[in-house]
Amino acid sequence: LMSGGNVLGLQEEAVPELRRVFSWAKRSPRGLVLFIDEAEAFLSCRGTQSSHHVQAAVSFFLAQTGSSSKKLMVILATNRLNDLDEAVLSRLPFQIEFGRPDSTMLALQVKDRALRLPKDAAKRLLSLLEKEASTDGLYALGFAGRDVQNLFEEFARRWSLEEVSNGSRRADEEWLRRWMRHRKATVNGRSM
């Protein structure tokens, strides 16, 4: 597992590190599954890259993936498929799209995340959500799973802050409305 952003940070060490990974795949008796998250970070169109280190890393990746292999399976994850280099796309025989969860899946995620909060916190957040935004409402706003996760993480932080501030920084309806307005703007700014 690696992140495309990790390759960017390697600079001049990107190609040697990629060489090690591909060599490992060749040496491994059972082969290797290489999962690259945020693949567009380093496998985007070569003409748009400013760093010659990234250009070299993309070229090396392409040279190593030019033919099929029983020792290596590469899985790329991206939210921006169109940003990937055409030569990279030509090496992907299968593309699987994982769409946004429907309102039922969002409701299940809300229930799952609520179980991870302290009981009183979960009760309050679920009550606030019932008043302010149902899971159908979250779905209608374009929320994805990561938005639900972010909501619960932010609420947990706010809940903790409320406890240490003796209630002066409340996790209440006003906080949720502000958070929803901010998140709605973020979701609307993101390509769907």
Side-chain angles (χ1 to χ4, degrees):
L1 174 66
M2 62 185 273
S3 170
N6 292 350
V7 176
L8 294 177
L10 291 172
Q11 299 284 328
E12 66 275 356
E13 290 298 313
V15 172
E17 288 298 323
L18 287 172
R19 183 174 284 114
R20 286 185 193 101
V21 171
F22 284 98
S23 294
W24 179 24
K26 290 175 186 171
R27 286 190 322 269
S28 175
R30 295 177 57 193
L32 177 74
V33 175
L34 176 60
F35 181 90
I36 304 174
D37 194 18
E38 298 178 355
E40 74 280 356
F42 96 97
L43 294 173
S44 60
C45 300
R46 284 172 285 173
T48 62
Q49 295 294 344
S50 57
S51 166
H52 68 279
H53 300 299
V54 174
Q55 298 255 352
V58 173
S59 295
F60 181 79
F61 177 87
L62 293 172
Q64 297 301 305
T65 57
S67 59
S68 62
S69 169
K70 292 183 180 189
K71 292 283 193 168
L72 177 67
M73 175 187 286
V74 177
I75 301 172
L76 304 179
T78 182
N79 291 326
R80 301 185 344 225
L81 185 64
N82 294 335
D83 287 353
L84 292 177
D85 191 278
E86 286 184 32
V88 171
L89 290 171
S90 74
R91 285 157 170 77
L92 304 176
F94 305 103
Q95 294 179 13
I96 302 170
E97 181 178 345
F98 294 94
R100 193 167 53 95
D102 62 17
S103 60
T104 302
M105 290 305 295
L106 285 175
L108 289 172
Q109 188 176 10
V110 165
K111 285 180 185 176
D112 176 68
R113 295 307 182 266
L115 293 172
R116 300 171 192 208
L117 288 175
K119 207 173 240 182
D120 290 344
K123 185 177 177 182
R124 182 183 303 168
L125 181 55
L126 292 175
S127 173
L128 290 172
L129 283 173
E130 199 173 289
K131 292 178 196 172
E132 298 295 325
S134 66
T135 52
D136 286 336
L138 295 177
Y139 180 77
L141 290 171
F143 276 44
R146 73 179 141 210
D147 300 308
V148 172
Q149 179 66 30
N150 185 269
L151 168 63
F152 276 81
E153 289 170 356
E154 289 295 320
F155 183 83
R157 282 190 277 279
R158 188 63 179 216
W159 180 265
S160 296
L161 186 60
E162 179 178 323
E163 288 182 341
V164 298
S165 70
N166 295 322
S168 67
R169 309 277 309 263
R170 295 200 33 89
D172 57 11
E173 294 92 349
E174 183 182 328
W175 170 84
L176 182 60
R177 278 190 220 109
R178 275 194 324 270
W179 186 89
M180 293 289 287
R181 276 194 308 271
H182 170 74
R183 204 66 190 161
K184 183 179 177 184
T186 302
V187 168
N188 289 338
R190 173 168 85 207
S191 62
M192 293 284 162

mmCIF file of all heavy atoms in Angstrom, residues 100 137-144 147 187 190 192:
data_model
loop_
_atom_site.group_PDB
_atom_site.id
_atom_site.type_symbol
_atom_site.label_atom_id
_atom_site.label_comp_id
_atom_site.label_asym_id
_atom_site.label_seq_id
_atom_site.Cartn_x
_atom_site.Cartn_y
_atom_site.Cartn_z
ATOM 1 N N ARG A 100 -21.054 7.020 -4.805
ATOM 2 C CA ARG A 100 -21.429 7.577 -3.516
ATOM 3 C C ARG A 100 -22.455 6.648 -2.858
ATOM 4 O O ARG A 100 -23.333 6.111 -3.525
ATOM 5 C CB ARG A 100 -22.025 8.960 -3.781
ATOM 6 C CG ARG A 100 -22.191 9.830 -2.604
ATOM 7 C CD ARG A 100 -22.479 11.266 -3.025
ATOM 8 N NE ARG A 100 -23.576 11.421 -3.933
ATOM 9 C CZ ARG A 100 -24.820 11.705 -3.560
ATOM 10 N NH1 ARG A 100 -25.121 11.868 -2.302
ATOM 11 N NH2 ARG A 100 -25.768 11.851 -4.456
ATOM 12 N N GLY A 137 -31.506 13.617 4.015
ATOM 13 C CA GLY A 137 -31.044 14.990 3.812
ATOM 14 C C GLY A 137 -29.553 15.048 3.535
ATOM 15 O O GLY A 137 -29.102 15.815 2.684
ATOM 16 N N LEU A 138 -28.779 14.231 4.253
ATOM 17 C CA LEU A 138 -27.336 14.172 3.999
ATOM 18 C C LEU A 138 -27.069 13.693 2.577
ATOM 19 O O LEU A 138 -26.216 14.218 1.877
ATOM 20 C CB LEU A 138 -26.643 13.241 4.998
ATOM 21 C CG LEU A 138 -26.665 13.664 6.468
ATOM 22 C CD1 LEU A 138 -25.994 12.594 7.319
ATOM 23 C CD2 LEU A 138 -25.994 15.010 6.658
ATOM 24 N N TYR A 139 -27.832 12.682 2.154
ATOM 25 C CA TYR A 139 -27.672 12.153 0.792
ATOM 26 C C TYR A 139 -28.026 13.225 -0.241
ATOM 27 O O TYR A 139 -27.302 13.435 -1.213
ATOM 28 C CB TYR A 139 -28.545 10.909 0.596
ATOM 29 C CG TYR A 139 -28.413 10.338 -0.790
ATOM 30 C CD1 TYR A 139 -27.295 9.581 -1.133
ATOM 31 C CD2 TYR A 139 -29.382 10.567 -1.754
ATOM 32 C CE1 TYR A 139 -27.159 9.060 -2.402
ATOM 33 C CE2 TYR A 139 -29.251 10.054 -3.020
ATOM 34 C CZ TYR A 139 -28.142 9.297 -3.345
ATOM 35 O OH TYR A 139 -27.998 8.797 -4.609
ATOM 36 N N ALA A 140 -29.125 13.927 0.004
ATOM 37 C CA ALA A 140 -29.561 14.974 -0.926
ATOM 38 C C ALA A 140 -28.522 16.088 -1.038
ATOM 39 O O ALA A 140 -28.383 16.716 -2.088
ATOM 40 C CB ALA A 140 -30.913 15.545 -0.491
ATOM 41 N N LEU A 141 -27.782 16.319 0.054
ATOM 42 C CA LEU A 141 -26.736 17.342 0.025
ATOM 43 C C LEU A 141 -25.467 16.861 -0.686
ATOM 44 O O LEU A 141 -24.525 17.618 -0.845
ATOM 45 C CB LEU A 141 -26.373 17.768 1.458
ATOM 46 C CG LEU A 141 -27.429 18.568 2.204
ATOM 47 C CD1 LEU A 141 -27.037 18.732 3.664
ATOM 48 C CD2 LEU A 141 -27.639 19.921 1.546
ATOM 49 N N GLY A 142 -25.441 15.584 -1.078
ATOM 50 C CA GLY A 142 -24.281 15.055 -1.786
ATOM 51 C C GLY A 142 -23.222 14.461 -0.872
ATOM 52 O O GLY A 142 -22.084 14.264 -1.282
ATOM 53 N N PHE A 143 -23.589 14.176 0.360
ATOM 54 C CA PHE A 143 -22.619 13.637 1.305
ATOM 55 C C PHE A 143 -22.164 12.243 0.892
ATOM 56 O O PHE A 143 -22.950 11.438 0.413
ATOM 57 C CB PHE A 143 -23.222 13.567 2.708
ATOM 58 C CG PHE A 143 -23.118 14.854 3.462
ATOM 59 C CD1 PHE A 143 -23.410 16.058 2.864
ATOM 60 C CD2 PHE A 143 -22.735 14.857 4.783
ATOM 61 C CE1 PHE A 143 -23.318 17.242 3.565
ATOM 62 C CE2 PHE A 143 -22.640 16.035 5.492
ATOM 63 C CZ PHE A 143 -22.929 17.232 4.875
ATOM 64 N N ALA A 144 -20.895 11.997 1.110
ATOM 65 C CA ALA A 144 -20.311 10.682 0.887
ATOM 66 C C ALA A 144 -19.932 10.117 2.255
ATOM 67 O O ALA A 144 -20.084 10.775 3.286
ATOM 68 C CB ALA A 144 -19.082 10.797 -0.013
ATOM 69 N N ASP A 147 -17.764 12.218 4.423
ATOM 70 C CA ASP A 147 -18.423 13.354 5.061
ATOM 71 C C ASP A 147 -19.063 12.939 6.383
ATOM 72 O O ASP A 147 -19.011 13.686 7.359
ATOM 73 C CB ASP A 147 -19.484 13.949 4.129
ATOM 74 C CG ASP A 147 -18.878 14.437 2.826
ATOM 75 O OD1 ASP A 147 -17.910 15.217 2.883
ATOM 76 O OD2 ASP A 147 -19.356 14.024 1.754
ATOM 77 N N VAL A 187 -18.867 20.227 -0.140
ATOM 78 C CA VAL A 187 -19.409 19.177 -1.010
ATOM 79 C C VAL A 187 -19.788 19.750 -2.359
ATOM 80 O O VAL A 187 -19.501 19.168 -3.400
ATOM 81 C CB VAL A 187 -20.625 18.484 -0.338
ATOM 82 C CG1 VAL A 187 -21.380 17.611 -1.316
ATOM 83 C CG2 VAL A 187 -20.157 17.666 0.855
ATOM 84 N N ARG A 190 -16.885 20.235 -4.669
ATOM 85 C CA ARG A 190 -16.212 19.011 -5.091
ATOM 86 C C ARG A 190 -16.954 18.467 -6.302
ATOM 87 O O ARG A 190 -18.165 18.514 -6.374
ATOM 88 C CB ARG A 190 -16.267 18.064 -3.896
ATOM 89 C CG ARG A 190 -15.821 16.715 -4.072
ATOM 90 C CD ARG A 190 -15.691 16.034 -2.709
ATOM 91 N NE ARG A 190 -16.942 15.486 -2.237
ATOM 92 C CZ ARG A 190 -17.226 15.319 -0.962
ATOM 93 N NH1 ARG A 190 -16.407 15.697 -0.039
ATOM 94 N NH2 ARG A 190 -18.376 14.778 -0.597
ATOM 95 N N MET A 192 -18.735 15.865 -8.501
ATOM 96 C CA MET A 192 -19.486 14.633 -8.207
ATOM 97 C C MET A 192 -19.453 13.717 -9.405
ATOM 98 O O MET A 192 -19.516 14.051 -10.494
ATOM 99 C CB MET A 192 -20.947 14.951 -7.884
ATOM 100 C CG MET A 192 -21.104 15.704 -6.598
ATOM 101 S SD MET A 192 -20.891 14.530 -5.259
ATOM 102 C CE MET A 192 -20.566 15.593 -3.929
#
